[in-house]
Amino acid sequence: MILRKLRRRLQGDYPCARLVEAVTEYVEGSMSERERGRFERHLAACSSCQEYLAQLRRTIELTGRLSVDDVEALPAPAREALLETFRKFHISRSS
């Protein structure tokens, strides 16, 4: 308990779970200046979140290159799983 409180204090009381929730706003540049400062202070102190952000940026870079042919070349179970994930994401964003 004490270590958790100390870690939060050292990371500007910005837990990793909050960073994961806010990372899209950060990448898109829609985060407030104050929030961005808290986000970046946490990021500077947390190698796990640095890795998470790097993975997200790489995913964005790679998915920007996907074509319909790439998706159609996937094995049927993988293609369906991917499409289902996008469907669920779209439904959750429109609710």
Side-chain angles (χ1 to χ4, degrees):
M1 180 76 159
I2 293 171
L3 289 176
R4 192 174 342 150
K5 286 182 181 180
L6 178 60
R7 184 174 178 201
R8 264 194 237 137
R9 187 174 300 137
L10 290 172
Q11 294 176 343
D13 199 27
Y14 202 98
C16 295
R18 174 67 188 124
L19 184 135
V20 170
E21 293 171 1
V23 73
T24 301
E25 292 176 45
Y26 180 75
V27 170
E28 291 176 346
S30 61
M31 185 178 275
S32 73
E33 188 174 324
R34 181 174 179 248
E35 182 80 0
R36 187 177 64 247
R38 291 180 64 220
F39 183 100
E40 289 175 345
R41 281 190 297 279
H42 173 89
L43 196 58
C46 184
S47 61
S48 296
C49 287
Q50 292 169 20
E51 179 67 23
Y52 178 76
L53 179 59
Q55 289 173 354
L56 178 66
R57 286 183 167 152
R58 183 68 175 147
T59 300
I60 291 168
E61 177 186 341
L62 292 173
T63 56
R65 297 181 192 166
L66 287 178
S67 69
V68 172
D69 291 338
D70 293 328
V71 174
E72 289 177 354
L74 291 171
R79 184 176 54 249
E80 274 309 307
L82 179 63
L83 292 172
E84 183 62 23
T85 299
F86 284 122
R87 285 184 202 111
K88 287 178 182 177
F89 177 76
H90 180 68
I91 289 169
S92 70
R93 299 276 294 191
S94 62
S95 299

